Amino acid sequence: MSTARHRVRSETWRPAVTSRRARRGPSRRTKSAANCVAAQRGPQRFFVKRVRRRHRAGPACARLAVVRPSNAFFRRFAAQLGQPSGLSGRLIGHLLNRANSGPVNGSLNALATAPGTTVADIGFGGGRSLSMLLDQVGESGVVYGIDPSRTVIAGARRRYRHAITQGRLRLEEASMSRIPLLDNTLDSAATINTVYYIPDVELSDSLRELARVLRPGGRLVVGLGDTDYLRTLPWQEGMLLRPLTEIAEFITAAGLTITDHRRIGSSWRAFHVYIAER
């Protein structure tokens, strides 16, 4: 009897509390925390963490802290984007594959690689582009993946073991300014999201190297983000952001002829793709 009476009391007590909470709405503490987080949002993304305190007294904002990463953090982040290394570099590689799918797809579609040809991606990062290029050149073609990051090269070796064994994929750890290929080796080449991490003098040498390894009539695709958009990113201090006209001048100064400049997307942030031929 006591058990049944207790069950009845609990069943009649719980809905009463639930209904009062429903009428009252969110607690004062919950609304205060939500307002605190909302007020701390801005153009940059911040990390919000809960801070443990011994006493529960005080507003909810006192128990929520917004950690604003320093400029040094974003500079290190930009350096990892330019040349991933270590465990952080492996995570960056996965991030690049997810975030750059649209720009990579658009850039490689502009490259228009034919089956049976020899092509290279210089600075391939997460390696998404290598898979697309292997599909484009087919069984009789050859893809070169060139990147200065040892972490990136090691990741590509693990991911594309079969293609490497077949001789369809060849990986080289090298910078764009010193491409370890003979003259007139490539039918086409692409470099995507790399120019922001290369100083002016080295960028000139790098584009001349690309022109050297291209065969006469070979095609080069240079993909890069919109400069105005990149300036809004919190890690833009670690990047060398140049006007698009300056990028075009670097390409033509290397002995290449720009045949097309297209956008990937329709918004003001749309990705830029320069298509040039030797």
Side-chain angles (χ1 to χ4, degrees), residues 174-244:
S175 66
M176 197 190 306
S177 59
R178 294 185 177 182
I179 300 175
L181 297 177
L182 298 175
D183 295 358
N184 308 323
T185 298
L186 302 175
D187 296 298
S188 56
T191 183
I192 305 167
N193 280 328
T194 58
V195 296
Y196 338 112
Y197 310 105
I198 305 176
D200 287 351
V201 175
E202 187 177 348
L203 183 58
S204 298
D205 295 340
S206 299
L207 290 170
R208 280 196 292 268
E209 272 288 272
L210 286 170
R212 178 186 67 80
V213 297
L214 279 174
R215 294 180 179 135
R219 172 173 289 193
L220 171 67
V221 161
V222 179
L224 68 158
D226 184 80
T227 305
D228 292 335
Y229 166 63
L230 294 176
R231 292 190 192 280
T232 67
L233 301 179
W235 55 86
Q236 56 94 14
E237 290 187 6
M239 307 169 71
L240 297 173
L241 301 180
R242 306 175 176 93
L244 292 172

